[in-house]
Amino acid sequence: MGISLLDCADPDPKSACRKIYEKITRQADRLVATGEAIEREFGIPIVNKRISVTPMALVAGASETEDCVPFALALDRAAQTCGINFIGGYSALVQKGMTEADEKLIRSIPEALARTELVCSSVNVGSTRAGINMDAVALMLSLIHISEP
């Protein structure tokens, strides 16, 4: 299920997170039950019941905050309330350039993923048309810590 969260943008991050939680839980309240009904009707398992939302950098960018992690926590809480397997959209689309909001969200990804259970994150650093945003690649590399065996 895809849900647009653009209308949840708010200068107050607490208000934005409340709107995000309320919209997701309202729109997806029957998602799992509907998936299970389809499974029974057709005899085919639906392995993952999931939600995809507007890239969170776009929504969080309207808020006056340095900390994007509460947005991930709101997504995770909504996903748990709905009983889904995962929620995607803690993301930034930076192939054409990176805003301050994009950078804040990207820098928050390690903590956001450490503090949530069902949130999936992505950063689109390139495309065939736009090329590769090497500044975004460098930022991502600085955040990935690979421990040696």
Side-chain angles (χ1 to χ4, degrees):
M1 173 178 217
I3 301 174
S4 172
L5 297 178
L6 287 175
D7 58 340
C8 297
D10 194 293
D12 176 23
K14 287 182 182 176
S15 179
C17 288
R18 179 185 47 75
K19 291 176 186 178
I20 288 166
Y21 174 82
E22 289 173 358
K23 184 168 185 180
I24 292 169
T25 55
R26 183 177 63 252
Q27 290 196 356
D29 68 335
R30 305 242 338 109
L31 179 62
V32 172
T34 301
E36 290 169 349
I38 292 168
E39 286 177 322
R40 284 190 302 277
E41 182 178 348
F42 295 104
I44 300 170
I46 299 173
V47 178
N48 288 310
K49 285 106 179 153
R50 59 186 185 220
I51 296 172
S52 178
V53 299
T54 306
M56 197 50 51
L58 297 174
V59 180
S63 293
E64 297 165 1
T65 184
E66 294 297 313
D67 185 11
C68 291
V69 174
F71 292 90
L73 297 174
L75 292 174
D76 197 57
R77 197 164 55 93
Q80 290 182 18
T81 299
C82 293
I84 61 170
N85 301 98
F86 61 90
I87 187 164
Y90 196 74
S91 306
L93 308 176
V94 295
Q95 67 276 10
K96 291 184 179 180
M98 191 166 28
T99 66
E100 273 187 48
D102 292 321
E103 186 172 345
K104 286 181 204 175
L105 184 120
I106 291 168
R107 290 186 184 281
S108 76
I109 290 172
E111 182 181 353
L113 294 180
R115 293 182 58 192
T116 60
E117 293 178 32
L118 303 174
V119 172
C120 293
S121 182
S122 66
V123 179
N124 186 11
V125 298
S127 70
T128 302
R129 186 172 295 237
I132 299 172
N133 180 340
M134 293 307 290
D135 291 332
V137 170
L139 176 57
M140 290 300 299
L141 287 172
S142 74
L143 297 173
I144 299 171
H145 302 285
I146 301 172
S147 54
E148 295 188 31

